[in-house]
Amino acid sequence: MILTLAILLFVNAAWNFIVWPQFFKRVNRDERARDASGKPTPFLIVHAVLIGISLLIAVVSVVVGIVALAGA
C-alpha cells in the first residue's frame, strides 16, 4: 500500500513539473500578462502564484514519497 501511495505522489510531482512550467510560458506570452508599460498585471501575478504553489506541492510530494519509501 505504501509503495502504491509513493508512486502516486511521484506521478503527481511529475505531472506538476511537466504541465505548469509550460502553462506559465503561455500565460507570460498572453497579452493580458503585462500592461502598456510592460509591468506585470494581476493576471500574471495570480497565475504565477498559483503555479508556484503547484510546484511547491510537487516538491513536497517528492519528499513525502521518498520518506514513505525509506520507511517502508
Side-chain angles (χ1 to χ4, degrees), residues 14-69:
W15 174 261
N16 281 319
F17 283 127
I18 292 168
V19 171
W20 291 116
Q22 299 302 317
F23 181 71
F24 183 73
K25 288 178 185 176
R26 284 182 288 166
V27 167
N28 199 29
R29 288 191 300 252
D30 193 292
E31 61 188 28
R32 298 169 288 178
R34 304 203 181 269
D35 63 14
S37 64
K39 290 185 175 183
T41 62
F43 173 83
L44 179 60
I45 294 167
V46 166
H47 282 86
V49 168
L50 292 173
I51 292 166
I53 290 169
S54 294
L55 293 174
L56 178 62
I57 291 170
V59 170
V60 171
S61 293
V62 168
V63 170
V64 172
I66 291 169
V67 169
L69 288 178

